[in-house]
Amino acid sequence: MEKRSNAHNSRRNKNLGPRRTLNHLENQPSQALNPSRFEMFAMRALMRVFSKQKQAAARILTIEHGVVRANRTILAVDDGISTRLISSWSHAPKSALPAPQLSIDSIDVDDRANSSRPGTPTAMIDFSDSSTAHSQKTTFELLRALAVFRVCQVKWIVDNAKMLLNVSNRINTTITEAIVERTFYKHFCAGRDSVDMKPVIDMLQRHGVRPILDYAAENEGGESDEGISPQDAEDILTHPPFNQPARIYAYKSEEDCDRHVEIFRDCIHSVRDVSPCGFAALKVTALGNPELLERMSTMIVETKRLFSKFDTGKTGMVTHEQFKECYRQYFRAEDDEIAKIIQDIDLDNNGMIDYIEFAEMMHPCQLPTFTKQCTDVGPLALATPSDEEIALMQRMSERLHTLAQEAADCGTKLLIDAEHLKYQPAIDSLVLELQQKFNDKGKTDRPVIFNTYQCYMKDAAERAQVDLERSERFGFHFAAKIVRGAYLHHERSRAEELGYESPIHDSKEETDRCYDEVVELLLRYRSEHGPGLEVMVASHNQGSIERAVHLMQRLGIQCADNPSVHFAQLFGMCDNLTFTLGKANFNAFKYLPYGPVGEVIPYLLRRAEENSSVLDKTGDEIHLLLDELKRRYSFV
């Protein structure tokens, strides 16, 4: 009976001629890749999930000598009897499409002739090549990426992710973290520490991509206590002026901040060891109490509002006479005292005072000197820090200066991440201090400290322009990372809850326009003023990347010889942009978050939320991953 069956199968295969079944192909050696049965099973399952058409509408394909004779995305189907190949989509895979055209004017002949930069012309860069984007991944990593992005498309899961994690943790924290680690953590994070990250960093550098190391623990703080609580041995009790309620800052928070200094120091050393021109990223909320940062931000915002009252003509400039008149209105002071203040802050002695000079006078640590002379207790007086808070602010500044000095000594650049708006003015103030010292044109020809500008903020372009002017006035190299922003939902919800106008642009189109305008402002400044300024175009938007590359070529900015323009994307996202730019000899970087699983969960929640909010982008990611699977397994 067995011989008869074998003979029957032999005759059947002979009659099929060059036609082969998928089961037959699985048993044949492959010159490129020989998938395991597990991989084949997983691919079949996932391809069924991602299929958009009904199986009944699909047509059976044949394979001649192992080659699919159709330019279509195809799907393996196992009906329990035999395995067949059916078509699931009628469109050509993205890797077969022509390279995308630039969304701005294409490069003309004169532009190309004037651009001496070696590398691939913009019009020849193909961001739709799945091989360039994903050839470095194993098949299992491709399948995991597909699963992660598919989950990001399920809005209910993303919207309730924090609740689901809390419920799961109550059941079993160990199992929860194990699941998160093997899925979202492995996809979006590079590892627990520098040793764990080394294979990832080595892989990136083999493909022309450099690392940005980012300890991804996030401290979002809590609500400030109102009223005096019993002083505990582990608390710092503050005594603000003007009969404000005391505030309590935990010593444990300070201890955690000191511990984070050592973590960031190790991060800087790791960058030095693996990438001489690399970056380390840090979050200021990891180095200071978030409630203290929020207090500092309130002081800075109220200072800006006070300047607008001095600026009665709304010109952005205050004359000496205007300053004297307004100062007498809000503060008690003699004429000679006011004259001394004017002399100290009008640094260029041009008879006018602008916000930059005014803000220098009203630094948070110097605020009590002025507010104790207030004629009335207003918002600025109520924002005045206590002596204890000033000591905590100085301690936070010392931590930042320690790390900045370490970065300068190691030749590593330091990216200061943007955070929630309620902390950002304080962060900007601290970064400005660092830039004045460590980006000083008299001491270095390259910047060390980079600030971050979130272009979904309505005032992003204005802030960039003001800080550019600051860099000229105080003689330091301007350096910036330009992003769209990562806290959109939080900022809008907070504005609605507290009843103030949303600081976020009303539409994505406005954010896109702002982003491209800020990048163009900085690139043109770099072209006109020469080396010194550096900008990191950190974006997952292909159009913005293409515009920046095109403008660089028009302006003759040569990254290979003078790396003043960098491109960066997050690990686990938009590999088609990063690896294509790296292959074309641009300064391409991957942001590599790392840290213990439990500490980076807030970061992972933001990544899931971001991918959920840009479903079109997630769909593009899925298509490229499927294209790479098809490239490897042409019979799938």
Side-chain angles (χ1 to χ4, degrees), residues 222-427:
E223 296 300 321
S224 299
D225 293 330
E226 296 296 337
I228 301 176
S229 300
Q231 184 174 4
D232 187 272
E234 296 298 319
D235 289 341
I236 301 172
L237 182 64
T238 69
H239 302 83
F242 306 109
N243 296 318
Q244 297 180 71
R247 291 178 175 82
I248 295 175
Y249 297 91
Y251 272 117
K252 185 178 185 304
S253 174
E254 290 295 291
E255 292 171 355
D256 288 341
C257 292
D258 289 335
R259 179 175 62 86
H260 291 156
V261 170
E262 296 308 312
I263 293 173
F264 286 127
R265 196 196 303 270
D266 290 342
C267 175
I268 291 168
H269 291 167
S270 297
V271 174
R272 175 199 61 192
D273 295 340
V274 302
S275 180
C277 298
F279 288 83
L282 66 81
K283 291 179 174 60
V284 176
T285 49
L287 299 172
N289 190 301
E291 292 181 20
L292 181 65
L293 282 167
E294 187 173 359
R295 286 273 292 152
M296 283 183 65
S297 293
T298 301
M299 302 170 206
I300 294 166
V301 169
E302 291 302 333
T303 297
K304 191 168 186 178
R305 287 175 180 164
L306 181 63
F307 176 78
S308 69
K309 294 177 181 178
F310 277 58
D311 181 18
T312 55
K314 304 306 175 187
T315 62
M317 305 292 287
V318 176
T319 66
H320 288 187
E321 287 304 316
Q322 285 176 316
F323 186 91
K324 289 177 184 177
E325 182 180 346
C326 291
Y327 199 90
R328 291 192 193 100
Q329 180 180 350
Y330 295 107
F331 301 96
R332 293 183 296 271
E334 301 295 332
D335 288 347
D336 57 342
E337 291 179 282
I338 299 175
K340 179 66 168 61
I341 292 171
I342 291 174
Q343 182 181 347
D344 290 341
I345 64 175
D346 187 8
L347 300 177
D348 53 10
N349 197 29
N350 65 350
M352 306 290 286
I353 297 168
D354 62 12
Y355 174 68
I356 294 175
E357 293 168 323
F358 191 84
E360 284 290 302
M361 174 187 75
M362 305 290 278
H363 187 278
C365 290
Q366 299 171 341
L367 200 55
T369 304
F370 295 94
T371 56
K372 69 182 181 182
Q373 298 176 339
C374 284
T375 56
D376 192 14
V377 179
L380 184 63
L382 292 175
T384 303
S386 67
D387 292 340
E388 295 87 355
E389 286 174 321
I390 290 174
L392 290 173
M393 286 189 283
Q394 290 172 338
R395 181 73 188 103
M396 177 167 51
S397 178
E398 288 170 6
R399 294 185 188 107
L400 282 165
H401 277 75
T402 297
L403 292 171
Q405 186 64 60
E406 197 77 37
D409 293 342
C410 292
T412 299
K413 297 175 183 178
L414 209 55
L415 290 172
I416 312 297
D417 281 342
E419 304 194 48
H420 292 166
L421 177 60
K422 61 184 178 181
Y423 309 137
Q424 196 58 47
I427 293 171

Side-chain angles (χ1 to χ4, degrees), residues 504-520:
I504 305 298
H505 283 300
D506 296 329
S507 68
K508 180 181 181 300
E509 290 72 23
E510 289 176 328
T511 297
D512 291 343
R513 188 180 307 112
C514 178
Y515 188 95
D516 294 334
E517 287 174 356
V518 171
V519 170
E520 181 172 352

Side-chain angles (χ1 to χ4, degrees), residues 480-599:
K481 178 181 68 169
I482 312 302
V483 301
R484 275 172 168 76
Y487 305 98
L488 185 147
H489 298 295
H490 170 87
E491 300 297 359
R492 283 181 174 163
S493 298
R494 180 176 169 83
E496 183 177 353
E497 179 184 343
L498 298 181
Y500 60 83
E501 181 184 353
S502 173
I504 305 298
H505 283 300
D506 296 329
S507 68
K508 180 181 181 300
E509 290 72 23
E510 289 176 328
T511 297
D512 291 343
R513 188 180 307 112
C514 178
Y515 188 95
D516 294 334
E517 287 174 356
V518 171
V519 170
E520 181 172 352
L521 166 72
L522 300 181
L523 291 181
R524 290 193 179 279
Y525 184 94
R526 161 63 181 79
S527 176
E528 294 168 5
H529 293 80
L533 176 145
E534 290 194 21
V535 58
M536 176 170 284
V537 183
S539 176
H540 299 145
N541 185 294
Q542 183 174 321
S544 291
I545 298 295
E546 289 172 340
R547 286 184 180 90
V549 171
H550 174 61
L551 186 57
M552 286 170 60
Q553 292 180 329
R554 289 179 64 93
L555 298 174
I557 298 175
Q558 304 175 22
C559 275
D561 299 330
N562 184 11
S564 56
V565 183
H566 317 278
F567 295 90
Q569 288 77 39
L570 293 168
F571 185 64
M573 295 178 66
C574 294
D575 289 342
N576 63 311
L577 300 180
T578 314
F579 288 98
T580 301
L581 289 167
K583 184 178 179 180
N585 296 322
F586 288 92
N587 298 308
F589 288 83
K590 268 295 186 193
Y591 226 74
L592 299 184
Y594 71 97
V597 178
E599 291 189 24

Side-chain angles (χ1 to χ4, degrees), residues 185-217:
Y185 179 87
K186 284 289 187 183
H187 182 76
F188 290 118
C189 297
R192 296 174 181 271
D193 51 36
S194 57
V195 175
D196 208 13
M197 289 188 291
K198 191 175 187 310
V200 175
I201 293 172
D202 290 343
M203 177 274 294
L204 292 175
Q205 293 186 328
R206 286 196 303 271
H207 291 82
V209 178
R210 298 170 186 170
I212 300 171
L213 302 191
D214 175 25
Y215 182 67

